[in-house]
Amino acid sequence: MNSTDKKHFVLVHGAWHGAWCWEKVTPLISEAGHEAHVLDLPGLGNDPTPIADITLDSYVNAVRDLILTIDDNVILVGHSMGGLVITQTAELLPDRIRALGYLAAFSPADGESLFQHAMADTESHVTRFNQVNEAEGYFTIPPDRLPDCFYGLCSEEDTRNAIARLRPQPLAPLLQTVSITPENYGRVRRCYIECTKDQALTWPMQQQMQEKARLDALLTLETDHSPFYACPEDLVDCFMRL
């Protein structure tokens, strides 16, 4: 494989999760001759940033800093809440991104927040069962709801291991609106990978997100909200098509 054929994937996890959620995906990307770059967003995974200090800008700056360490343009993938992050990142670094990949992800338009779309997804288990701690600025999902919400088609072992690593999700980034323009975000190639059996970000809401992203391509997985565990090989096949 020529160096020009090598692709660099930057994978941005969703709410509550961390870089660990890509653990079955990154080896498959490497086996295909490409490179995966992952990170813990501030306050999630193993990142120690206090919840009170976290904003959408914190998330975007972390992803921007990672991209700038890579000596090539990247394919930037965001899962779920990570779609919010990659949207704003593309506004900052349009010339460093070969394509955006929205994986069952939020794709707000200019001036919109994730929160307003999440609350409109009335069939979502996240919307129905979330528990907000307003005093400390985060929210969670009751433990007994987590398997059906995120991991409905995943193995019991993967589900158990994932739940053990979830952390409270800061609220502030989800309330902040994005600011994007046709001149920057608008010229980056945009693709969506929809998950039709998703109980966290339902398929109808994903279809609304697709309209807002004004896509160049749409790919479909018949799976739950966590294809990185439920069907990692099929997910990586989708990544290669981005």
PDB file of all heavy atoms in Angstrom, residues 85-123:
ATOM      1  N   VAL A  85     -19.816  17.453  18.024  1.00  0.00           N
ATOM      2  CA  VAL A  85     -18.414  17.870  18.142  1.00  0.00           C
ATOM      3  C   VAL A  85     -17.750  17.960  16.771  1.00  0.00           C
ATOM      4  O   VAL A  85     -17.059  18.940  16.467  1.00  0.00           O
ATOM      5  CB  VAL A  85     -17.649  16.902  19.056  1.00  0.00           C
ATOM      6  CG1 VAL A  85     -16.204  17.348  19.212  1.00  0.00           C
ATOM      7  CG2 VAL A  85     -18.324  16.793  20.420  1.00  0.00           C
ATOM      8  N   ILE A  86     -17.975  16.971  15.924  1.00  0.00           N
ATOM      9  CA  ILE A  86     -17.302  17.004  14.622  1.00  0.00           C
ATOM     10  C   ILE A  86     -17.881  18.097  13.733  1.00  0.00           C
ATOM     11  O   ILE A  86     -17.172  18.647  12.876  1.00  0.00           O
ATOM     12  CB  ILE A  86     -17.326  15.634  13.917  1.00  0.00           C
ATOM     13  CG1 ILE A  86     -18.732  15.234  13.470  1.00  0.00           C
ATOM     14  CG2 ILE A  86     -16.710  14.559  14.816  1.00  0.00           C
ATOM     15  CD1 ILE A  86     -18.759  13.998  12.571  1.00  0.00           C
ATOM     16  N   THR A  87     -19.148  18.432  13.933  1.00  0.00           N
ATOM     17  CA  THR A  87     -19.754  19.516  13.161  1.00  0.00           C
ATOM     18  C   THR A  87     -19.027  20.826  13.420  1.00  0.00           C
ATOM     19  O   THR A  87     -18.622  21.530  12.485  1.00  0.00           O
ATOM     20  CB  THR A  87     -21.245  19.654  13.517  1.00  0.00           C
ATOM     21  OG1 THR A  87     -21.934  18.463  13.142  1.00  0.00           O
ATOM     22  CG2 THR A  87     -21.872  20.848  12.816  1.00  0.00           C
ATOM     23  N   GLN A  88     -18.826  21.157  14.699  1.00  0.00           N
ATOM     24  CA  GLN A  88     -18.157  22.411  15.021  1.00  0.00           C
ATOM     25  C   GLN A  88     -16.673  22.349  14.695  1.00  0.00           C
ATOM     26  O   GLN A  88     -16.076  23.357  14.303  1.00  0.00           O
ATOM     27  CB  GLN A  88     -18.361  22.742  16.505  1.00  0.00           C
ATOM     28  CG  GLN A  88     -17.945  24.159  16.882  1.00  0.00           C
ATOM     29  CD  GLN A  88     -18.769  25.216  16.153  1.00  0.00           C
ATOM     30  OE1 GLN A  88     -19.969  25.316  16.337  1.00  0.00           O
ATOM     31  NE2 GLN A  88     -18.123  26.006  15.315  1.00  0.00           N
ATOM     32  N   THR A  89     -16.061  21.184  14.825  1.00  0.00           N
ATOM     33  CA  THR A  89     -14.648  21.037  14.478  1.00  0.00           C
ATOM     34  C   THR A  89     -14.429  21.285  12.993  1.00  0.00           C
ATOM     35  O   THR A  89     -13.427  21.898  12.591  1.00  0.00           O
ATOM     36  CB  THR A  89     -14.144  19.641  14.865  1.00  0.00           C
ATOM     37  OG1 THR A  89     -14.388  19.402  16.254  1.00  0.00           O
ATOM     38  CG2 THR A  89     -12.648  19.513  14.589  1.00  0.00           C
ATOM     39  N   ALA A  90     -15.353  20.820  12.157  1.00  0.00           N
ATOM     40  CA  ALA A  90     -15.211  21.016  10.718  1.00  0.00           C
ATOM     41  C   ALA A  90     -15.259  22.488  10.335  1.00  0.00           C
ATOM     42  O   ALA A  90     -14.652  22.902   9.348  1.00  0.00           O
ATOM     43  CB  ALA A  90     -16.306  20.250   9.984  1.00  0.00           C
ATOM     44  N   GLU A  91     -15.967  23.284  11.114  1.00  0.00           N
ATOM     45  CA  GLU A  91     -15.988  24.724  10.868  1.00  0.00           C
ATOM     46  C   GLU A  91     -14.612  25.335  11.102  1.00  0.00           C
ATOM     47  O   GLU A  91     -14.211  26.277  10.407  1.00  0.00           O
ATOM     48  CB  GLU A  91     -17.023  25.393  11.776  1.00  0.00           C
ATOM     49  CG  GLU A  91     -17.106  26.898  11.661  1.00  0.00           C
ATOM     50  CD  GLU A  91     -17.648  27.383  10.336  1.00  0.00           C
ATOM     51  OE1 GLU A  91     -18.296  26.588   9.612  1.00  0.00           O
ATOM     52  OE2 GLU A  91     -17.436  28.572  10.015  1.00  0.00           O
ATOM     53  N   LEU A  92     -13.869  24.783  12.069  1.00  0.00           N
ATOM     54  CA  LEU A  92     -12.542  25.312  12.393  1.00  0.00           C
ATOM     55  C   LEU A  92     -11.462  24.827  11.440  1.00  0.00           C
ATOM     56  O   LEU A  92     -10.531  25.565  11.131  1.00  0.00           O
ATOM     57  CB  LEU A  92     -12.160  24.908  13.823  1.00  0.00           C
ATOM     58  CG  LEU A  92     -13.011  25.440  14.972  1.00  0.00           C
ATOM     59  CD1 LEU A  92     -12.430  24.971  16.299  1.00  0.00           C
ATOM     60  CD2 LEU A  92     -13.107  26.955  14.922  1.00  0.00           C
ATOM     61  N   LEU A  93     -11.572  23.560  10.987  1.00  0.00           N
ATOM     62  CA  LEU A  93     -10.482  22.943  10.228  1.00  0.00           C
ATOM     63  C   LEU A  93     -10.979  22.309   8.922  1.00  0.00           C
ATOM     64  O   LEU A  93     -10.708  21.136   8.657  1.00  0.00           O
ATOM     65  CB  LEU A  93      -9.809  21.859  11.078  1.00  0.00           C
ATOM     66  CG  LEU A  93      -9.099  22.287  12.355  1.00  0.00           C
ATOM     67  CD1 LEU A  93      -8.623  21.059  13.127  1.00  0.00           C
ATOM     68  CD2 LEU A  93      -7.925  23.201  12.047  1.00  0.00           C
ATOM     69  N   PRO A  94     -11.681  23.035   8.096  1.00  0.00           N
ATOM     70  CA  PRO A  94     -12.233  22.401   6.890  1.00  0.00           C
ATOM     71  C   PRO A  94     -11.171  21.846   5.951  1.00  0.00           C
ATOM     72  O   PRO A  94     -11.431  20.864   5.244  1.00  0.00           O
ATOM     73  CB  PRO A  94     -13.039  23.528   6.239  1.00  0.00           C
ATOM     74  CG  PRO A  94     -12.401  24.792   6.746  1.00  0.00           C
ATOM     75  CD  PRO A  94     -11.999  24.476   8.155  1.00  0.00           C
ATOM     76  N   ASP A  95     -10.001  22.455   5.935  1.00  0.00           N
ATOM     77  CA  ASP A  95      -8.965  22.009   5.010  1.00  0.00           C
ATOM     78  C   ASP A  95      -8.199  20.785   5.503  1.00  0.00           C
ATOM     79  O   ASP A  95      -7.388  20.228   4.764  1.00  0.00           O
ATOM     80  CB  ASP A  95      -7.976  23.145   4.751  1.00  0.00           C
ATOM     81  CG  ASP A  95      -8.623  24.314   4.021  1.00  0.00           C
ATOM     82  OD1 ASP A  95      -9.522  24.051   3.190  1.00  0.00           O
ATOM     83  OD2 ASP A  95      -8.243  25.470   4.276  1.00  0.00           O
ATOM     84  N   ARG A  96      -8.447  20.368   6.752  1.00  0.00           N
ATOM     85  CA  ARG A  96      -7.747  19.205   7.294  1.00  0.00           C
ATOM     86  C   ARG A  96      -8.644  17.961   7.334  1.00  0.00           C
ATOM     87  O   ARG A  96      -8.217  16.917   7.814  1.00  0.00           O
ATOM     88  CB  ARG A  96      -7.246  19.510   8.723  1.00  0.00           C
ATOM     89  CG  ARG A  96      -6.165  20.568   8.814  1.00  0.00           C
ATOM     90  CD  ARG A  96      -4.896  20.138   8.064  1.00  0.00           C
ATOM     91  NE  ARG A  96      -4.507  18.779   8.398  1.00  0.00           N
ATOM     92  CZ  ARG A  96      -3.746  18.447   9.452  1.00  0.00           C
ATOM     93  NH1 ARG A  96      -3.300  19.399  10.252  1.00  0.00           N
ATOM     94  NH2 ARG A  96      -3.423  17.193   9.693  1.00  0.00           N
ATOM     95  N   ILE A  97      -9.871  18.071   6.855  1.00  0.00           N
ATOM     96  CA  ILE A  97     -10.832  16.969   6.966  1.00  0.00           C
ATOM     97  C   ILE A  97     -11.246  16.494   5.578  1.00  0.00           C
ATOM     98  O   ILE A  97     -11.812  17.251   4.793  1.00  0.00           O
ATOM     99  CB  ILE A  97     -12.064  17.411   7.781  1.00  0.00           C
ATOM    100  CG1 ILE A  97     -11.635  17.839   9.187  1.00  0.00           C
ATOM    101  CG2 ILE A  97     -13.092  16.276   7.846  1.00  0.00           C
ATOM    102  CD1 ILE A  97     -12.737  18.515   9.979  1.00  0.00           C
ATOM    103  N   ARG A  98     -10.956  15.231   5.285  1.00  0.00           N
ATOM    104  CA  ARG A  98     -11.341  14.636   3.998  1.00  0.00           C
ATOM    105  C   ARG A  98     -12.843  14.379   3.940  1.00  0.00           C
ATOM    106  O   ARG A  98     -13.467  14.508   2.883  1.00  0.00           O
ATOM    107  CB  ARG A  98     -10.588  13.319   3.788  1.00  0.00           C
ATOM    108  CG  ARG A  98      -9.089  13.477   3.681  1.00  0.00           C
ATOM    109  CD  ARG A  98      -8.371  12.147   3.596  1.00  0.00           C
ATOM    110  NE  ARG A  98      -8.768  11.373   2.421  1.00  0.00           N
ATOM    111  CZ  ARG A  98      -8.154  10.250   2.036  1.00  0.00           C
ATOM    112  NH1 ARG A  98      -7.130   9.779   2.740  1.00  0.00           N
ATOM    113  NH2 ARG A  98      -8.560   9.599   0.979  1.00  0.00           N
ATOM    114  N   ALA A  99     -13.397  13.956   5.062  1.00  0.00           N
ATOM    115  CA  ALA A  99     -14.832  13.678   5.122  1.00  0.00           C
ATOM    116  C   ALA A  99     -15.264  13.626   6.567  1.00  0.00           C
ATOM    117  O   ALA A  99     -14.474  13.295   7.462  1.00  0.00           O
ATOM    118  CB  ALA A  99     -15.165  12.356   4.424  1.00  0.00           C
ATOM    119  N   LEU A 100     -16.529  13.952   6.802  1.00  0.00           N
ATOM    120  CA  LEU A 100     -17.167  13.764   8.100  1.00  0.00           C
ATOM    121  C   LEU A 100     -18.034  12.521   8.041  1.00  0.00           C
ATOM    122  O   LEU A 100     -18.796  12.326   7.081  1.00  0.00           O
ATOM    123  CB  LEU A 100     -18.045  14.963   8.450  1.00  0.00           C
ATOM    124  CG  LEU A 100     -17.359  16.299   8.700  1.00  0.00           C
ATOM    125  CD1 LEU A 100     -18.415  17.378   8.931  1.00  0.00           C
ATOM    126  CD2 LEU A 100     -16.420  16.225   9.889  1.00  0.00           C
ATOM    127  N   GLY A 101     -17.955  11.700   9.084  1.00  0.00           N
ATOM    128  CA  GLY A 101     -18.807  10.532   9.185  1.00  0.00           C
ATOM    129  C   GLY A 101     -19.675  10.622  10.429  1.00  0.00           C
ATOM    130  O   GLY A 101     -19.158  10.646  11.551  1.00  0.00           O
ATOM    131  N   TYR A 102     -20.972  10.719  10.237  1.00  0.00           N
ATOM    132  CA  TYR A 102     -21.917  10.789  11.357  1.00  0.00           C
ATOM    133  C   TYR A 102     -22.440   9.384  11.620  1.00  0.00           C
ATOM    134  O   TYR A 102     -23.158   8.817  10.794  1.00  0.00           O
ATOM    135  CB  TYR A 102     -23.066  11.722  11.017  1.00  0.00           C
ATOM    136  CG  TYR A 102     -22.680  13.184  10.956  1.00  0.00           C
ATOM    137  CD1 TYR A 102     -22.279  13.768   9.756  1.00  0.00           C
ATOM    138  CD2 TYR A 102     -22.720  13.971  12.100  1.00  0.00           C
ATOM    139  CE1 TYR A 102     -21.918  15.105   9.698  1.00  0.00           C
ATOM    140  CE2 TYR A 102     -22.370  15.311  12.048  1.00  0.00           C
ATOM    141  CZ  TYR A 102     -21.962  15.878  10.853  1.00  0.00           C
ATOM    142  OH  TYR A 102     -21.604  17.205  10.801  1.00  0.00           O
ATOM    143  N   LEU A 103     -22.078   8.818  12.761  1.00  0.00           N
ATOM    144  CA  LEU A 103     -22.503   7.466  13.120  1.00  0.00           C
ATOM    145  C   LEU A 103     -23.648   7.554  14.128  1.00  0.00           C
ATOM    146  O   LEU A 103     -23.431   7.855  15.293  1.00  0.00           O
ATOM    147  CB  LEU A 103     -21.320   6.688  13.714  1.00  0.00           C
ATOM    148  CG  LEU A 103     -21.637   5.303  14.272  1.00  0.00           C
ATOM    149  CD1 LEU A 103     -22.238   4.396  13.208  1.00  0.00           C
ATOM    150  CD2 LEU A 103     -20.379   4.680  14.881  1.00  0.00           C
ATOM    151  N   ALA A 104     -24.880   7.313  13.639  1.00  0.00           N
ATOM    152  CA  ALA A 104     -26.062   7.452  14.503  1.00  0.00           C
ATOM    153  C   ALA A 104     -25.900   8.701  15.363  1.00  0.00           C
ATOM    154  O   ALA A 104     -25.995   8.660  16.582  1.00  0.00           O
ATOM    155  CB  ALA A 104     -26.246   6.216  15.373  1.00  0.00           C
ATOM    156  N   ALA A 105     -25.659   9.823  14.695  1.00  0.00           N
ATOM    157  CA  ALA A 105     -25.154  11.012  15.375  1.00  0.00           C
ATOM    158  C   ALA A 105     -26.041  12.228  15.157  1.00  0.00           C
ATOM    159  O   ALA A 105     -26.787  12.326  14.181  1.00  0.00           O
ATOM    160  CB  ALA A 105     -23.743  11.324  14.871  1.00  0.00           C
ATOM    161  N   PHE A 106     -25.911  13.165  16.085  1.00  0.00           N
ATOM    162  CA  PHE A 106     -26.556  14.465  15.962  1.00  0.00           C
ATOM    163  C   PHE A 106     -25.778  15.326  14.973  1.00  0.00           C
ATOM    164  O   PHE A 106     -24.551  15.365  14.998  1.00  0.00           O
ATOM    165  CB  PHE A 106     -26.609  15.165  17.317  1.00  0.00           C
ATOM    166  CG  PHE A 106     -27.577  14.541  18.282  1.00  0.00           C
ATOM    167  CD1 PHE A 106     -27.158  13.568  19.172  1.00  0.00           C
ATOM    168  CD2 PHE A 106     -28.917  14.916  18.287  1.00  0.00           C
ATOM    169  CE1 PHE A 106     -28.049  12.981  20.060  1.00  0.00           C
ATOM    170  CE2 PHE A 106     -29.817  14.339  19.167  1.00  0.00           C
ATOM    171  CZ  PHE A 106     -29.384  13.367  20.062  1.00  0.00           C
ATOM    172  N   SER A 107     -26.521  16.021  14.131  1.00  0.00           N
ATOM    173  CA  SER A 107     -25.921  16.932  13.164  1.00  0.00           C
ATOM    174  C   SER A 107     -26.731  18.229  13.145  1.00  0.00           C
ATOM    175  O   SER A 107     -27.510  18.486  12.223  1.00  0.00           O
ATOM    176  CB  SER A 107     -25.903  16.299  11.771  1.00  0.00           C
ATOM    177  OG  SER A 107     -25.434  17.218  10.811  1.00  0.00           O
ATOM    178  N   PRO A 108     -26.567  19.055  14.165  1.00  0.00           N
ATOM    179  CA  PRO A 108     -27.374  20.276  14.242  1.00  0.00           C
ATOM    180  C   PRO A 108     -26.998  21.287  13.170  1.00  0.00           C
ATOM    181  O   PRO A 108     -25.847  21.347  12.727  1.00  0.00           O
ATOM    182  CB  PRO A 108     -27.049  20.809  15.638  1.00  0.00           C
ATOM    183  CG  PRO A 108     -25.689  20.265  15.938  1.00  0.00           C
ATOM    184  CD  PRO A 108     -25.639  18.913  15.299  1.00  0.00           C
ATOM    185  N   ALA A 109     -27.967  22.072  12.767  1.00  0.00           N
ATOM    186  CA  ALA A 109     -27.720  23.168  11.838  1.00  0.00           C
ATOM    187  C   ALA A 109     -27.170  24.370  12.602  1.00  0.00           C
ATOM    188  O   ALA A 109     -27.143  24.396  13.838  1.00  0.00           O
ATOM    189  CB  ALA A 109     -29.020  23.538  11.120  1.00  0.00           C
ATOM    190  N   ASP A 110     -26.745  25.373  11.862  1.00  0.00           N
ATOM    191  CA  ASP A 110     -26.210  26.581  12.480  1.00  0.00           C
ATOM    192  C   ASP A 110     -27.215  27.164  13.472  1.00  0.00           C
ATOM    193  O   ASP A 110     -28.409  27.309  13.157  1.00  0.00           O
ATOM    194  CB  ASP A 110     -25.898  27.612  11.395  1.00  0.00           C
ATOM    195  CG  ASP A 110     -25.330  28.892  11.965  1.00  0.00           C
ATOM    196  OD1 ASP A 110     -24.340  28.822  12.717  1.00  0.00           O
ATOM    197  OD2 ASP A 110     -25.901  29.969  11.675  1.00  0.00           O
ATOM    198  N   GLY A 111     -26.740  27.480  14.675  1.00  0.00           N
ATOM    199  CA  GLY A 111     -27.584  28.072  15.697  1.00  0.00           C
ATOM    200  C   GLY A 111     -28.396  27.090  16.506  1.00  0.00           C
ATOM    201  O   GLY A 111     -29.185  27.505  17.364  1.00  0.00           O
ATOM    202  N   GLU A 112     -28.214  25.797  16.255  1.00  0.00           N
ATOM    203  CA  GLU A 112     -28.965  24.777  16.995  1.00  0.00           C
ATOM    204  C   GLU A 112     -28.069  24.064  18.000  1.00  0.00           C
ATOM    205  O   GLU A 112     -26.853  23.978  17.828  1.00  0.00           O
ATOM    206  CB  GLU A 112     -29.559  23.748  16.034  1.00  0.00           C
ATOM    207  CG  GLU A 112     -30.620  24.311  15.114  1.00  0.00           C
ATOM    208  CD  GLU A 112     -31.209  23.275  14.182  1.00  0.00           C
ATOM    209  OE1 GLU A 112     -30.571  22.202  14.008  1.00  0.00           O
ATOM    210  OE2 GLU A 112     -32.295  23.520  13.635  1.00  0.00           O
ATOM    211  N   SER A 113     -28.695  23.534  19.042  1.00  0.00           N
ATOM    212  CA  SER A 113     -27.984  22.737  20.051  1.00  0.00           C
ATOM    213  C   SER A 113     -28.401  21.281  19.932  1.00  0.00           C
ATOM    214  O   SER A 113     -29.429  20.957  19.321  1.00  0.00           O
ATOM    215  CB  SER A 113     -28.306  23.244  21.459  1.00  0.00           C
ATOM    216  OG  SER A 113     -29.651  22.927  21.806  1.00  0.00           O
ATOM    217  N   LEU A 114     -27.625  20.423  20.541  1.00  0.00           N
ATOM    218  CA  LEU A 114     -28.009  19.016  20.615  1.00  0.00           C
ATOM    219  C   LEU A 114     -29.267  18.855  21.448  1.00  0.00           C
ATOM    220  O   LEU A 114     -30.155  18.064  21.107  1.00  0.00           O
ATOM    221  CB  LEU A 114     -26.860  18.191  21.198  1.00  0.00           C
ATOM    222  CG  LEU A 114     -27.058  16.682  21.327  1.00  0.00           C
ATOM    223  CD1 LEU A 114     -25.726  15.955  21.214  1.00  0.00           C
ATOM    224  CD2 LEU A 114     -27.738  16.289  22.638  1.00  0.00           C
ATOM    225  N   PHE A 115     -29.360  19.605  22.523  1.00  0.00           N
ATOM    226  CA  PHE A 115     -30.437  19.417  23.496  1.00  0.00           C
ATOM    227  C   PHE A 115     -31.814  19.551  22.859  1.00  0.00           C
ATOM    228  O   PHE A 115     -32.726  18.761  23.139  1.00  0.00           O
ATOM    229  CB  PHE A 115     -30.270  20.419  24.640  1.00  0.00           C
ATOM    230  CG  PHE A 115     -31.253  20.243  25.753  1.00  0.00           C
ATOM    231  CD1 PHE A 115     -31.068  19.274  26.721  1.00  0.00           C
ATOM    232  CD2 PHE A 115     -32.378  21.057  25.844  1.00  0.00           C
ATOM    233  CE1 PHE A 115     -31.979  19.103  27.755  1.00  0.00           C
ATOM    234  CE2 PHE A 115     -33.296  20.901  26.870  1.00  0.00           C
ATOM    235  CZ  PHE A 115     -33.090  19.918  27.829  1.00  0.00           C
ATOM    236  N   GLN A 116     -31.979  20.545  21.993  1.00  0.00           N
ATOM    237  CA  GLN A 116     -33.300  20.772  21.437  1.00  0.00           C
ATOM    238  C   GLN A 116     -33.749  19.607  20.566  1.00  0.00           C
ATOM    239  O   GLN A 116     -34.944  19.293  20.493  1.00  0.00           O
ATOM    240  CB  GLN A 116     -33.349  22.088  20.666  1.00  0.00           C
ATOM    241  CG  GLN A 116     -32.498  22.164  19.419  1.00  0.00           C
ATOM    242  CD  GLN A 116     -32.350  23.587  18.924  1.00  0.00           C
ATOM    243  OE1 GLN A 116     -31.515  24.354  19.389  1.00  0.00           O
ATOM    244  NE2 GLN A 116     -33.180  23.963  17.952  1.00  0.00           N
ATOM    245  N   HIS A 117     -32.823  18.934  19.909  1.00  0.00           N
ATOM    246  CA  HIS A 117     -33.178  17.769  19.105  1.00  0.00           C
ATOM    247  C   HIS A 117     -33.376  16.537  19.976  1.00  0.00           C
ATOM    248  O   HIS A 117     -34.286  15.734  19.726  1.00  0.00           O
ATOM    249  CB  HIS A 117     -32.107  17.515  18.052  1.00  0.00           C
ATOM    250  CG  HIS A 117     -32.048  18.579  17.010  1.00  0.00           C
ATOM    251  ND1 HIS A 117     -33.065  18.773  16.096  1.00  0.00           N
ATOM    252  CD2 HIS A 117     -31.116  19.525  16.750  1.00  0.00           C
ATOM    253  CE1 HIS A 117     -32.748  19.787  15.305  1.00  0.00           C
ATOM    254  NE2 HIS A 117     -31.576  20.269  15.691  1.00  0.00           N
ATOM    255  N   ALA A 118     -32.546  16.380  20.983  1.00  0.00           N
ATOM    256  CA  ALA A 118     -32.669  15.221  21.866  1.00  0.00           C
ATOM    257  C   ALA A 118     -34.025  15.217  22.563  1.00  0.00           C
ATOM    258  O   ALA A 118     -34.678  14.173  22.684  1.00  0.00           O
ATOM    259  CB  ALA A 118     -31.540  15.215  22.889  1.00  0.00           C
ATOM    260  N   MET A 119     -34.469  16.368  23.018  1.00  0.00           N
ATOM    261  CA  MET A 119     -35.740  16.434  23.723  1.00  0.00           C
ATOM    262  C   MET A 119     -36.927  16.189  22.788  1.00  0.00           C
ATOM    263  O   MET A 119     -37.999  15.778  23.224  1.00  0.00           O
ATOM    264  CB  MET A 119     -35.885  17.799  24.409  1.00  0.00           C
ATOM    265  CG  MET A 119     -34.942  18.002  25.578  1.00  0.00           C
ATOM    266  SD  MET A 119     -35.134  16.755  26.910  1.00  0.00           S
ATOM    267  CE  MET A 119     -33.785  15.614  26.534  1.00  0.00           C
ATOM    268  N   ALA A 120     -36.724  16.428  21.496  1.00  0.00           N
ATOM    269  CA  ALA A 120     -37.794  16.178  20.525  1.00  0.00           C
ATOM    270  C   ALA A 120     -37.890  14.707  20.137  1.00  0.00           C
ATOM    271  O   ALA A 120     -38.888  14.284  19.536  1.00  0.00           O
ATOM    272  CB  ALA A 120     -37.567  17.020  19.271  1.00  0.00           C
ATOM    273  N   ASP A 121     -36.883  13.927  20.496  1.00  0.00           N
ATOM    274  CA  ASP A 121     -36.868  12.493  20.176  1.00  0.00           C
ATOM    275  C   ASP A 121     -37.604  11.752  21.292  1.00  0.00           C
ATOM    276  O   ASP A 121     -37.005  11.077  22.132  1.00  0.00           O
ATOM    277  CB  ASP A 121     -35.419  12.023  20.050  1.00  0.00           C
ATOM    278  CG  ASP A 121     -35.308  10.643  19.414  1.00  0.00           C
ATOM    279  OD1 ASP A 121     -36.338  10.092  18.998  1.00  0.00           O
ATOM    280  OD2 ASP A 121     -34.182  10.114  19.349  1.00  0.00           O
ATOM    281  N   THR A 122     -38.906  11.850  21.290  1.00  0.00           N
ATOM    282  CA  THR A 122     -39.706  11.415  22.437  1.00  0.00           C
ATOM    283  C   THR A 122     -39.715   9.906  22.647  1.00  0.00           C
ATOM    284  O   THR A 122     -40.046   9.434  23.736  1.00  0.00           O
ATOM    285  CB  THR A 122     -41.154  11.909  22.296  1.00  0.00           C
ATOM    286  OG1 THR A 122     -41.688  11.454  21.045  1.00  0.00           O
ATOM    287  CG2 THR A 122     -41.202  13.428  22.349  1.00  0.00           C
ATOM    288  N   GLU A 123     -39.374   9.123  21.639  1.00  0.00           N
ATOM    289  CA  GLU A 123     -39.323   7.667  21.792  1.00  0.00           C
ATOM    290  C   GLU A 123     -37.954   7.176  22.249  1.00  0.00           C
ATOM    291  O   GLU A 123     -37.788   5.992  22.546  1.00  0.00           O
ATOM    292  CB  GLU A 123     -39.704   6.984  20.473  1.00  0.00           C
ATOM    293  CG  GLU A 123     -41.137   7.250  20.042  1.00  0.00           C
ATOM    294  CD  GLU A 123     -42.145   6.818  21.098  1.00  0.00           C
ATOM    295  OE1 GLU A 123     -42.039   5.678  21.582  1.00  0.00           O
ATOM    296  OE2 GLU A 123     -43.027   7.635  21.449  1.00  0.00           O
TER     297      GLU A 123
END
